[in-house]
Amino acid sequence: MSSTSAIEEKRLDHVQHHFVDSDQQFESAKMGMWVFIVTEVLMFGGLFAAYIAYRAWYPELYLEASTQLNAFWGGVNTLVLIGSSLTVAMAIRSAQLNQIKGLIINLYITIGLALTFMVIKYFEYSEKLYKGIAPGSYYTYDGLEHEKANIFFSIYYMMTGLHGVHVTIGIALMIWLVIKAKKNVFHEGYYTPVEITGLYWHLVDIIWIFLFPLLYLID
Amino acid sequence: MSGHHISSAKFLWGIAIALFFLTFVTVAVTWIEIPDPWNVVVAIGIAIVKALLVLLFFMNLYWDSKFNSLLFVFSIIFFLLLIGITLLDTLFRIDPIPSF
């Protein structure tokens, strides 16, 4: 009898004193994350607004400059990110079902896919920078006719760069989740950090879903 | 209104396969020549469908408290306001293209 109540207590020791119960704490954390996602939408929104305004001004520039982007690798990265969203959703499901081993494995796969994304991005960036396709006034490439070609690439580097920063933060968060999961912190009654990181990761996926056609598939 | 909705593995795979398929469709429509304004419309349309799939079924908005959906919808409304007002300025300038 006393051992069950000890387990009961362990199950609930994540509940902070200012919450009524575990569910209220979970719902509050999730709502807080959605408020954060709103700010993220608006931060990327500013870059999308810049994209739209410049595309309205220079439609022919976008057509021409996007030929420098490799739609094949952009597409591969889209599939990689969608795959990682699936494994994050599976990680949350594992946590909900108390399958801590499954949770850790799914997190490892997600980290692997996120690293794959960044490696592909690294090769894309270094290939362009080698040619002199750099943002703004550092642009030295002369293979494009349009005199404002640097503008497209400033927008390209800002949007994919900020997205890449988010992917990097996501990798760090998931390593943190693996460490916590190995310490047996998570169980079916408490997996809030997994759920919250999942929301963040899916948002990163959604942003790429828009970046891919807007930057790579113009023609 | 439980925030602890558990999706089946089959269901999650189904959503992912739909997303993979729509990615292929996005690339495929660039092989067909669609006249100018419509190629962007189709590309964004598919992206919106994909984003909705992720939002509703991966981010669980479909089962979640409606307040979270409301927060997200408001962010989209303010984003559209940002774009709308920006374009009202930039599209109708007398000297439309600045030096930068």
Side-chain angles (χ1 to χ4, degrees), chain A residues 141-205:
Chain A
Y141 185 59
D142 52 10
L144 289 171
E145 300 277 307
H146 205 286
E147 53 167 342
K148 301 281 190 211
N150 59 340
I151 285 177
F152 176 85
F153 290 104
S154 297
I155 290 169
Y156 164 80
Y157 278 112
M158 278 309 292
M159 294 185 102
T160 57
L162 188 62
H163 180 266
V165 169
H166 279 75
V167 173
T168 313
I169 293 170
I171 293 171
L173 286 173
M174 277 177 295
I175 292 170
W176 169 68
L177 287 182
V178 168
I179 294 168
K180 283 194 106 172
K182 284 193 167 166
K183 285 182 188 157
N184 253 331
V185 176
F186 302 128
H187 50 79
E188 58 191 342
Y190 176 68
Y191 56 92
T192 314
V194 187
E195 173 92 17
I196 299 294
T197 309
L199 286 178
Y200 174 86
W201 192 255
H202 293 313
L203 177 79
V204 170
D205 186 24

Side-chain angles (χ1 to χ4, degrees), chain A residues 22-23 26-27 30-32 34-35 37-39 41-42 44-46 48-49 52-59 63 71 75 78-80 82-83 85-86 89-90 92-93 96-97 148 151 188-189 191 195 198-200 202-203 205-206 209-210 212-214 217-219, chain B residues 1-10 12-13 15-16 19-20 23-24 26-27 30-31 33-34 36 39-40 43-44 46-48 50-51 54-55 58-61 64-65 67-69 71-72 74-76 78-79 82-83 86-87 90-91 93 96-100:
Chain A
S22 184
D23 270 353
F26 179 74
E27 292 295 333
K30 220 159 51 164
M31 195 187 93
W34 276 104
V35 172
I37 287 173
V38 170
T39 69
V41 168
L42 292 175
F44 276 97
F48 278 102
I52 292 166
Y54 277 101
R55 187 161 175 174
W57 279 337
Y58 306 111
L63 260 174
T78 311
L79 299 179
V80 165
I82 290 171
S85 257
L86 171 67
M90 293 296 242
I92 294 168
R93 181 185 142 76
Q96 286 169 328
L97 297 174
K148 301 281 190 211
I151 285 177
E188 58 191 342
Y191 56 92
E195 173 92 17
L199 286 178
Y200 174 86
H202 293 313
L203 177 79
D205 186 24
I206 288 176
I209 284 174
F210 284 96
F212 172 54
L214 284 178
L217 295 179
I218 308 169
D219 71 341
Chain B
M1 213 197 80
S2 159
H4 295 283
H5 176 83
I6 304 178
S7 303
S8 74
K10 217 171 151 187
L12 293 174
W13 268 101
I15 298 297
L19 289 170
F20 285 136
T23 306
F24 175 74
T26 327
V27 179
T30 60
W31 299 333
E33 292 290 319
I34 302 174
D36 198 25
N39 49 7
V40 187
I44 294 299
I46 297 171
I48 288 173
K50 286 167 78 181
V54 175
L55 282 162
F58 276 173
M59 297 169 92
N60 284 347
L61 275 185
D64 215 350
S65 146
F67 189 74
N68 291 343
S69 305
L71 284 173
F72 186 75
F74 268 109
S75 78
I76 299 303
F78 279 107
F79 169 59
L82 169 70
I83 291 174
T86 308
L87 285 181
T90 56
L91 284 183
R93 287 184 188 178
I97 297 171
S99 56
F100 45 87

